PDB file of all heavy atoms in Angstrom:
ATOM      1  N   ALA K  62     -50.073  39.583  43.100  1.00 90.00           N
ATOM      2  CA  ALA K  62     -48.615  39.761  43.093  1.00 90.00           C
ATOM      3  C   ALA K  62     -48.241  41.213  43.204  1.00 90.00           C
ATOM      4  O   ALA K  62     -48.914  42.096  42.664  1.00 90.00           O
ATOM      5  CB  ALA K  62     -48.022  39.155  41.810  1.00 90.00           C
ATOM      6  N   ALA K  63     -47.125  41.468  43.908  1.00 90.00           N
ATOM      7  CA  ALA K  63     -46.650  42.834  44.117  1.00 90.00           C
ATOM      8  C   ALA K  63     -46.364  43.541  42.798  1.00 90.00           C
ATOM      9  O   ALA K  63     -46.599  44.751  42.672  1.00 90.00           O
ATOM     10  CB  ALA K  63     -45.423  42.812  45.005  1.00 90.00           C
ATOM     11  N   ARG K  64     -45.894  42.780  41.803  1.00 91.00           N
ATOM     12  CA  ARG K  64     -45.540  43.416  40.527  1.00 91.00           C
ATOM     13  C   ARG K  64     -46.780  43.968  39.830  1.00 91.00           C
ATOM     14  O   ARG K  64     -46.712  45.001  39.133  1.00 91.00           O
ATOM     15  CB  ARG K  64     -44.815  42.433  39.595  1.00 91.00           C
ATOM     16  CG  ARG K  64     -45.646  41.223  39.175  1.00 91.00           C
ATOM     17  CD  ARG K  64     -44.885  40.336  38.202  1.00 91.00           C
ATOM     18  NE  ARG K  64     -45.689  39.205  37.776  1.00 91.00           N
ATOM     19  CZ  ARG K  64     -45.818  38.072  38.451  1.00 91.00           C
ATOM     20  NH1 ARG K  64     -45.163  37.932  39.614  1.00 91.00           N
ATOM     21  NH2 ARG K  64     -46.551  37.094  37.977  1.00 91.00           N
ATOM     22  N   GLU K  65     -47.952  43.298  40.025  1.00 92.00           N
ATOM     23  CA  GLU K  65     -49.165  43.803  39.442  1.00 92.00           C
ATOM     24  C   GLU K  65     -49.674  45.058  40.152  1.00 92.00           C
ATOM     25  O   GLU K  65     -50.217  45.960  39.531  1.00 92.00           O
ATOM     26  CB  GLU K  65     -50.246  42.716  39.468  1.00 92.00           C
ATOM     27  CG  GLU K  65     -49.942  41.497  38.632  1.00 92.00           C
ATOM     28  CD  GLU K  65     -51.129  40.544  38.502  1.00 92.00           C
ATOM     29  OE1 GLU K  65     -52.240  41.027  38.235  1.00 92.00           O
ATOM     30  OE2 GLU K  65     -50.923  39.359  38.741  1.00 92.00           O
ATOM     31  N   VAL K  66     -49.474  45.110  41.471  1.00 91.00           N
ATOM     32  CA  VAL K  66     -49.817  46.302  42.226  1.00 91.00           C
ATOM     33  C   VAL K  66     -48.963  47.476  41.744  1.00 91.00           C
ATOM     34  O   VAL K  66     -49.459  48.576  41.477  1.00 91.00           O
ATOM     35  CB  VAL K  66     -49.594  46.072  43.739  1.00 91.00           C
ATOM     36  CG1 VAL K  66     -49.780  47.388  44.494  1.00 91.00           C
ATOM     37  CG2 VAL K  66     -50.568  45.022  44.252  1.00 91.00           C
ATOM     38  N   ASN K  67     -47.668  47.248  41.601  1.00 90.00           N
ATOM     39  CA  ASN K  67     -46.750  48.299  41.172  1.00 90.00           C
ATOM     40  C   ASN K  67     -47.074  48.765  39.756  1.00 90.00           C
ATOM     41  O   ASN K  67     -46.993  49.956  39.443  1.00 90.00           O
ATOM     42  CB  ASN K  67     -45.305  47.805  41.265  1.00 90.00           C
ATOM     43  CG  ASN K  67     -44.878  47.535  42.681  1.00 90.00           C
ATOM     44  OD1 ASN K  67     -45.399  48.126  43.623  1.00 90.00           O
ATOM     45  ND2 ASN K  67     -43.921  46.642  42.881  1.00 90.00           N
ATOM     46  N   ALA K  68     -47.413  47.809  38.890  1.00 90.00           N
ATOM     47  CA  ALA K  68     -47.750  48.169  37.511  1.00 90.00           C
ATOM     48  C   ALA K  68     -48.986  49.044  37.458  1.00 90.00           C
ATOM     49  O   ALA K  68     -49.093  49.990  36.696  1.00 90.00           O
ATOM     50  CB  ALA K  68     -47.938  46.903  36.687  1.00 90.00           C
ATOM     51  N   PHE K  69     -49.975  48.691  38.298  1.00 92.00           N
ATOM     52  CA  PHE K  69     -51.207  49.454  38.358  1.00 92.00           C
ATOM     53  C   PHE K  69     -50.906  50.903  38.798  1.00 92.00           C
ATOM     54  O   PHE K  69     -51.415  51.863  38.213  1.00 92.00           O
ATOM     55  CB  PHE K  69     -52.188  48.807  39.339  1.00 92.00           C
ATOM     56  CG  PHE K  69     -53.509  49.520  39.466  1.00 92.00           C
ATOM     57  CD1 PHE K  69     -54.581  49.163  38.681  1.00 92.00           C
ATOM     58  CD2 PHE K  69     -53.671  50.546  40.401  1.00 92.00           C
ATOM     59  CE1 PHE K  69     -55.808  49.825  38.801  1.00 92.00           C
ATOM     60  CE2 PHE K  69     -54.881  51.219  40.517  1.00 92.00           C
ATOM     61  CZ  PHE K  69     -55.957  50.850  39.734  1.00 92.00           C
TER      62      PHE K  69
END
Side-chain angles (χ1 to χ4, degrees):
R64 64 177 181 277
E65 295 190 48
V66 173
N67 295 333
F69 181 92

